[in-house]
Amino acid sequence: QQQVKQSPQSLIVQKGGISIINCAYENTAFDYFPWYQQFPGKGPALLIAIRPDVSEKKEGRFTISFNKSAKQFSLHIMDSQPGDSATYFCAASESENAGNMLTFGGGTRLMVKP
Amino acid sequence: EAQVTQNPRYLITVTGKKLTVTCSQNMNHEYMSWYRQDPGLGLRQIYYSMNVEVTDKGDVPEGYKVSRKEKRNFPLILESPSPNQTSLYFCASSLRLASYEQYFGPGTRLTVT
């Protein structure tokens, strides 16, 4: 049973469009929400992260929106580019968790068409 | 170059034949972890280590062992591999417990027949 549910599983967007990936969680103790980007043949790499004291965080074309009451957060990629084609994972963690364990969503494979 | 390395990158083996996947990091990180990645399930933590000689189970530890004798190395051991352990494995490290950015290795694709 996944504690973090991610949708959609796959996404095709035209170049210049907006890519939106959504995640929902159940554990209210989660207080750190990163997004990881993974290119084929590579390990995941941290893209952007948010803590629940803010509702939005923006870094370049990437924005995380966070809705604490709905227990949902999403990644928006503005002006999507073919180079953004990758698999994206949302994740969540508890600060008090001694194991520093990240709970990952199932992943979204994004394809940006030229 | 700061990195996490894993070996081998690809491995095909038979049921029951013990194997070890090595992981090494050159960033002096205290925290290291092993994940397996399966389609639709994301990454699931197998074991983690907060420092030398300190290891603990993650979400899916059954069938796996680890050891942390040196700070830089964190090998994953499958004593008796089974086909359900066919997966893509990632080692990760981070600077300290309070630092959540984890640096992942390139992955090891394991097939157990």
Side-chain angles (χ1 to χ4, degrees), chain A residues 102-113:
Chain A
L102 279 176
T103 300
F104 284 86
T108 297
R109 182 173 289 184
L110 170 66
M111 180 186 297
V112 180
K113 288 193 168 182

Side-chain angles (χ1 to χ4, degrees), chain A residues 74-96:
Chain A
S74 61
L75 176 69
H76 295 230
I77 306 174
M78 311 300 287
D79 186 26
S80 298
Q81 299 296 311
D84 297 331
S85 297
T87 299
Y88 293 81
F89 294 97
C90 63
S93 181
E94 301 174 41
S95 294
E96 300 305 314

Side-chain angles (χ1 to χ4, degrees), chain A residues 49-82:
Chain A
I50 196 169
R51 296 191 186 270
D53 52 342
V54 296
S55 60
E56 186 175 283
K57 183 174 181 179
K58 183 176 181 179
E59 289 184 2
R61 296 183 294 108
F62 300 91
T63 299
I64 299 179
S65 297
F66 183 80
N67 186 330
K68 189 174 182 178
S69 61
K71 292 185 287 185
Q72 295 175 348
F73 58 110
S74 61
L75 176 69
H76 295 230
I77 306 174
M78 311 300 287
D79 186 26
S80 298
Q81 299 296 311

